[in-house]
Amino acid sequence: MTSAQAAPAAGGTHAYPLQRHFIDGAFRESQSRRTFVSLDPATNEPLAAAAEGDAFDVDLAVGAARRAFDTTDWPRMKATDRAAVLRRVGALIRERADEFIEREVRDIGMPVAQMRGLAARAATNFEYYAGVVTELHGRSFQVGEEFLNYTIRKPVGVAGMIMPWNAPLMLSTWRIAPALAAGNTVVLKPAEWSPLTATLLAEVLADAGVPAGVFNVVHGFGETAGAALSSHAGVDLICFTGETSTGSTIIAAGAPTLKRSSVELGGKSPVLVFEDADPELAVDAALAQIFTMNGQRCTAGSRLLVHNSRYEAVVSAIAERAKRIRVGDPGDPKTELGPLIRAEHHERVVQYIDSARRQGARVLAGGRRPDGLDRGNYLEATVLADADEHMDVFREEIFGPVLVATPFADEAEAIRLANATEYGLAAYVWTNDLTRAHRVAHALDTGMCWINSQNVRDLRTPFGGVKNSGIGREGGDYAFDFYCETEIVHVALGTHAIPKLGLGDDDQETSA
Ligand code: NAD
């Protein structure tokens, strides 16, 4: 077993040992020996030290990934053989699920009951892509009796992955699995606020038989390690998930070396409740859609748009339930809402609530630190009613447990309000009018729409956003459009005409 556990913590006693980089099949500290400390959001006490990577460590990792791409069997082996390794990764994640769950609950404050589902999904990500890659096929094009042309899919090369802190295990495996399945090699830079599961994942991949250099992890800050990875000439693909402004910086950093990039960014997704919707289901889903994952969810239904005739009833039903949401220790199986990731993020979310209050929104639930939870970054489940479309809370991503409600008069206004942000990731439409459901879904500026449903993923379908929510689609076999090159091979069958040049006056025939 490749041990992630062996090294002692640097600079103090922490709950976990030093989280080291994983480069070329070995755990190692930074060349600079520098480390940074990750905090427990439930207490804001130090949880673990992690190696602080910089351009030097990134260069080592990219070099290892490049060598693995050029010299190991990984990109060239049969898809079924790579799939077998990925299935072992899935099985090992399930076997060690408790360790993954414990680490991520402490690292990011995700309630343990929700983290169980996310850990299972991480395993499924590998198992699912093990299946998809074995079904991957090219197209053939007959040209009469002259040609048979066909496409082949090839891995692109070294994939750099820069990931956020809000669901690190689930989100990174959702990218690592198809990248590896396609035969690429990977350098992962986890978010500096959530280093813990990436180290364990490196151990599991190695134990499952992923060859040295094929999967690498470099911990560190965005401005140093992330910037070095996104601009490195040896990286062919950049897969980024995070804030919109960071995504734009990363695309610019990759432009001089023409990196292909897939960027999944922020959201401000609307939940539209029409007068004929099933109110009970809509209320349940609206609550789940904003208050799970501590509200730190890219596809959170953070804006509730309700028809005038149902507005008061729906909004007050949601507020009453929000008041009863159990906020507390993320390690307690009964907890529904854990702490926010960092004190400064908590402060930012509270400022949004205060600004909405000053601008005339009604705080129907929450808005404060819960009684008895003096330490950690806890916030009550918050419902703000009567948000005006010009308020910051209506337009900007808060990324916390804050639902913003606004009434609408008719379908046209509902669509206009839904589209009145710079984002376009997800949308949720509640109506029992069949034709309206589809009409509205088509009119929304969104990459993904759910009708009469909360966010239930079908892994075969495309995932991604429009406008400031991202560029590109992953998920299902769409991921292989990003993680593979498509090469066309033209095969002449011996009958096509070839222009004959240089025959002087004997033959003037030319053709294109
Ligand atoms: P962030 O942009 O601050 O950081 C994401 C990653 O980028 C981190 O690893 C960070 O170290 C790195 N980074 C920061 N600056 C960088 C730079 N200059 N160069 C290279 N790398 C850099 O985002 P976050 O706060 O970690 O995550 C929250 C955001 O992620 C929210 O906006 C959320 O909506 C979004 N998100 C989107 C999706 C999606 O699929 N659309 C999923 C989850 C989260």
Side-chain angles (χ1 to χ4, degrees):
M1 179 180 281
T2 323
S3 180
Q5 315 294 339
T13 312
H14 301 303
Y16 294 92
L18 176 68
Q19 304 297 297
R20 294 174 294 170
H21 310 307
F22 186 72
I23 299 176
D24 213 2
F27 286 99
R28 51 185 300 154
E29 295 188 22
S30 291
Q31 195 249 357
S32 68
R33 300 271 152 175
R34 288 164 69 117
T35 60
F36 65 96
V37 172
S38 155
L39 304 178
D40 180 342
T43 59
N44 286 322
E45 296 293 329
L47 189 60
E52 184 187 328
D54 57 21
F56 184 92
D57 307 289
V58 166
D59 193 50
L60 274 188
V62 173
R66 174 58 53 194
R67 269 194 313 284
F69 188 76
D70 292 341
T71 62
T72 69
D73 287 346
W74 188 257
R76 286 160 280 275
M77 64 171 59
K78 286 183 199 159
T80 45
D81 293 342
R82 277 198 304 271
V85 176
L86 297 188
R87 283 200 185 88
R88 280 202 294 277
V89 173
L92 283 177
I93 292 177
R94 289 186 197 283
E95 213 174 290
R96 301 184 67 180
D98 287 347
E99 289 171 75
F100 280 105
I101 292 166
E102 194 219 73
R103 280 179 174 239
E104 200 140 295
V105 165
R106 297 206 60 189
D107 212 11
I108 64 167
M110 181 75 73
V112 65
Q114 296 170 30
M115 191 57 221
R116 287 201 184 104
L118 292 169
R121 167 69 191 279
T124 305
N125 287 340
F126 284 99
E127 292 155 356
Y128 172 73
Y129 274 109
V132 181
V133 74
T134 52
E135 298 289 320
L136 206 60
H137 54 265
R139 294 175 67 187
S140 63
F141 305 81
Q142 270 176 274
V143 186
E145 293 183 339
E146 290 185 355
F147 284 92
L148 175 62
N149 305 329
Y150 63 90
T151 60
I152 55 171
R153 302 278 210 139
K154 304 201 300 197
V156 182
V158 176
M161 306 204 165
I162 301 180
M163 290 290 126
W165 47 262
N166 64 317
L169 178 65
M170 187 274 277
L171 289 172
S172 62
T173 52
W174 177 235
R175 279 43 181 252
I176 294 163
L180 292 182
N184 300 288
T185 59
V186 170
V187 178
L188 167 70
K189 208 251 357 126
E192 52 271 43
W193 286 355
S194 58
L196 283 182
T197 45
T199 314
L200 191 55
L201 188 64
E203 187 175 313
V204 159
L205 263 70
D207 290 346
V210 173
V214 168
F215 178 71
N216 307 272
V217 178
V218 178
H219 292 287
F221 294 100
E223 296 72 14
T224 47
L229 186 58
S230 57
S231 60
H232 198 294
V235 172
D236 303 291
L237 295 170
I238 284 284
C239 170
F240 170 73
T241 301
E243 281 181 18
T244 299
S245 59
T246 319
S248 150
T249 305
I250 283 173
I251 292 173
T257 44
L258 294 178
K259 292 191 201 324
R260 184 184 292 193
S261 50
S262 167
V263 293
E264 306 276 11
L265 309 173
K268 189 73 183 176
S269 302
V271 179
L272 295 89
V273 182
F274 287 91
E275 59 275 29
D276 57 355
D278 180 321
E280 275 180 37
L281 290 182
V283 165
D284 284 345
L287 284 155
Q289 208 48 60
I290 184 66
F291 296 124
T292 49
M293 297 174 75
N294 301 339
Q296 299 168 151
R297 180 175 191 171
C298 58
T299 52
S302 50
R303 287 182 301 143
L304 179 71
L305 307 175
V306 188
H307 186 261
N308 279 330
S309 63
R310 293 292 190 92
Y311 180 70
E312 270 315 319
V314 168
V315 169
S316 44
I318 289 175
E320 284 317 304
R321 294 265 298 277
K323 287 178 194 162
R324 288 160 49 202
I325 284 180
R326 286 187 297 270
V327 187
D329 174 6
D332 180 341
K334 291 208 175 96
T335 292
E336 295 171 310
L337 181 58
L340 300 186
I341 186 79
R342 279 290 178 281
E344 58 259 45
H345 183 52
H346 182 273
E347 176 61 25
R348 188 175 158 269
V349 176
V350 169
Q351 278 172 13
Y352 269 116
I353 297 169
D354 290 345
S355 86
R357 205 184 256 131
R358 278 196 305 276
Q359 290 167 21
R362 279 185 291 152
V363 183
L364 291 189
R368 302 181 310 120
R369 175 181 283 278
D371 293 337
L373 291 172
D374 302 330
R375 288 195 329 153
N377 312 311
Y378 293 100
L379 183 65
E380 292 171 334
T382 300
V383 179
L384 303 175
D386 309 346
D388 180 86
E389 64 182 289
H390 303 295
M391 290 181 190
D392 292 345
V393 290
F394 185 92
R395 308 183 91 88
E396 295 176 15
E397 183 182 46
I398 300 174
F399 220 54
V402 181
L403 181 65
V404 172
T406 307
F408 65 80
D410 55 25
E411 184 178 313
E413 188 180 28
I415 292 168
R416 189 185 62 73
L417 286 171
N419 290 342
T421 76
E422 291 174 349
Y423 295 108
L425 189 57
Y428 308 89
V429 178
W430 290 86
T431 175
N432 277 317
D433 177 334
L434 179 68
T435 52
R436 171 157 66 194
H438 293 282
R439 202 165 52 233
V440 172
H442 296 191
L444 294 176
D445 298 340
T446 186
M448 301 174 279
C449 184
W450 278 263
I451 294 174
N452 295 331
S453 168
Q454 59 149 338
N455 180 333
V456 179
R457 282 283 293 137
D458 172 347
L459 298 191
R460 297 166 303 174
T461 60
F463 184 98
V466 301
K467 302 202 295 196
N468 281 2
S469 289
I471 303 176
R473 292 291 178 275
E474 296 192 47
D477 53 13
Y478 293 88
F480 291 114
D481 291 340
F482 179 64
Y483 293 111
C484 291
E485 293 285 8
T486 300
E487 178 179 330
I488 175 75
V489 180
H490 301 88
V491 185
L493 301 179
T495 56
H496 82 294
I498 302 177
K500 296 180 188 300
L501 304 184
L503 295 179
D505 293 336
D506 296 346
D507 189 337
Q508 295 294 329
E509 184 199 337
T510 58
S511 70

